[in-house]
């Protein structure tokens, strides 16, 4: 399982790159909108500049940067994707295409970009079907939104829609368990589209990272605050304090 960092914040990206344990960066329009207002291409260019500064040429292959289109019109989505790919001088740029929006699925966009040799990250997938269809259309990555899949099973707001889906035999209540969604998607991908990779996104807590990895996600993309929370441990603090104190006492 590889770790990606899920942010558009330059300081956090630089921290992740310096620490060296992430193999990619995922952004989305909401993450970009958290940054100071300005030219989005210039901001994305700064992310690429940080990657060039901190990743040695020998380690750049496969280091992925995902950026998302922000239109619902297929021709415009392709235009934005091509523009982003051309503007960002980084080999492994993946264009995030939302798999569906209000019943307008974007498989033809995924297919068109794949035909043009542009890596696609099919984003906002909530079901095995969406992920499978995206992989079949040529997506390199399928992003299953772990936290939002789980929320969909319990959020009161979606009670009626959830029940309609269940009655229509589109999903079972267990399909709102993200571990099941990831595990089943991995099985289907292994059998049919072994080159496509699952990115588990919408990660809320350190335990989600482990659970997503064990469920079969190839990649887990994690917000910086959760990445930081994963690393510390009170017993690590205790033992390091002990080492320092013992050695200082011996030196004095
Ligand atoms: C993943 O690529 C997305 O950027 C992200 O994880 C979205 O999830 P969230 O909006 O629930 O955090």
């Amino acid at each position: 399982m590889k770790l990606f960092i899920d942010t558009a914040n330059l300081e956090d990206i630089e921290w992740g790159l310096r620490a060296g344990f992430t193999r990619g960066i995922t952004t989305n329009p909401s993450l970009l909108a958290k940054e100071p207002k300005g030219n989005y291409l210039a901001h994305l260019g700064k992310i690429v500049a940080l990657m060039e500064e901190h990743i040695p040429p020998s380690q750049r292959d496969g280091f992925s940067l995902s950026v998302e289109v922000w239109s619902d019109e297929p021709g415009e989505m392709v235009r934005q994707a091509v523009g982003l790919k051309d503007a960002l001088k980084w080999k492994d740029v993946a264009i995030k295409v939302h798999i569906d929006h209000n019943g307008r699925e974007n498989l033809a966009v995924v297919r068109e970009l794949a035909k043009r040799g542009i890596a696609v990250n099919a984003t906002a997938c909530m079901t095995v079907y969406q992920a499978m269809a995206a992989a079949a259309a040529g997506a390199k990555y399928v992003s299953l939104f772990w936290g939002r899949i789980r929320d969909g099973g319990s959020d009161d707001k979606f009670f009626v829609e959830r029940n309609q889906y269940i009655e229509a035999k589109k999903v079972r209540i267990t399909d709102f368990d993200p571990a099941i969604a990831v595990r089943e998607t991995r099985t289907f991908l292994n059998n049919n589209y072994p080159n496509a990779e699952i990115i588990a996104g919408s990660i809320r807590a350190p335990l989600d990272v482990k659970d997503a990895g064990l469920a079969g996600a190839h990649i887990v993309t994690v917000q910086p605050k959760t990445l930081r929370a994963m690393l510390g441990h009170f017993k690590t603090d205790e033992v390091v304090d002990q080492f320092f104190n013992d050695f200082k006492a011996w030196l004095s």
Side-chain angles (χ1 to χ4, degrees):
M1 180 197 91
K2 287 176 278 188
L3 283 173
F4 284 10
I5 189 165
D6 193 26
T7 183
N9 180 271
L10 300 176
E11 279 173 25
D12 284 332
I13 287 172
E14 186 157 29
W15 165 76
L17 291 170
R18 277 182 191 279
F21 63 104
T22 53
R23 289 299 300 152
I25 300 167
T26 50
T27 65
N28 66 42
S30 296
L31 291 173
L32 274 161
K34 287 185 184 164
E35 299 310 305
K37 236 184 189 345
N39 181 302
Y40 67 92
L41 271 183
H43 189 88
L44 292 169
K46 286 180 192 166
I47 295 177
V48 171
L50 285 173
M51 287 154 68
E52 277 168 347
E53 183 184 341
H54 293 286
I55 306 170
S58 63
Q59 291 170 20
R60 286 183 192 166
D61 245 21
F63 194 104
S64 166
L65 170 66
S66 280
V67 291
E68 187 158 348
V69 297
W70 61 95
S71 169
D72 259 343
E73 199 282 307
E76 176 61 11
M77 291 167 86
V78 171
R79 199 191 63 77
Q80 289 175 0
V82 171
L84 287 164
K85 177 72 187 157
D86 285 349
L88 300 172
K89 301 297 174 211
W90 188 257
K91 183 167 165 274
D92 289 300
V93 167
I95 302 298
K96 278 176 145 182
V97 173
H98 46 285
I99 191 64
D100 186 279
H101 189 203
N102 296 329
R104 292 179 59 167
E105 48 76 20
N106 292 312
L107 292 168
V109 175
V110 174
R111 185 159 176 71
E112 177 60 26
L113 296 179
K115 260 175 29 197
R116 294 180 187 219
I118 295 176
V120 175
N121 176 345
T123 193
C125 295
M126 305 292 159
T127 67
V128 175
Y129 310 122
Q130 291 175 323
M132 279 297 296
K140 177 177 166 67
Y141 301 110
V142 294
S143 284
L144 282 160
F145 278 17
W146 187 273
R148 290 185 190 250
I149 293 170
R150 187 172 52 202
D151 296 344
S154 57
D155 193 332
D156 286 345
K157 188 177 149 204
F158 299 111
F159 181 77
V160 172
E161 283 176 278
R162 184 163 62 235
N163 277 353
Q164 282 170 356
Y165 277 21
I166 292 171
E167 276 162 27
K169 299 201 184 318
K170 178 167 172 166
V171 296
R172 295 187 184 94
I173 194 67
T174 50
D175 289 320
F176 294 99
D177 177 340
I180 291 178
V182 168
R183 198 164 50 242
E184 292 181 348
T185 302
R186 180 66 186 258
T187 301
F188 282 123
L189 290 186
N190 283 352
N191 291 339
N192 300 287
Y193 304 103
N195 294 328
E197 292 188 282
I198 299 169
I199 302 180
S202 190
I203 294 295
R204 306 274 168 74
L207 273 178
D208 293 338
V209 178
K210 182 175 72 153
D211 291 346
L214 289 171
H218 300 82
I219 296 155
V220 185
T221 189
V222 190
Q223 292 201 359
K225 68 171 190 306
T226 307
L227 278 175
R228 289 188 174 97
M230 283 163 59
L231 299 174
H233 195 286
F234 59 92
K235 290 296 286 182
T236 306
D237 295 338
E238 178 198 59
V239 70
V240 176
D241 283 346
Q242 181 193 323
F243 291 159
F244 282 6
N245 291 337
D246 288 349
F247 199 59
K248 271 184 210 146
W250 182 75
L251 284 175
S252 60

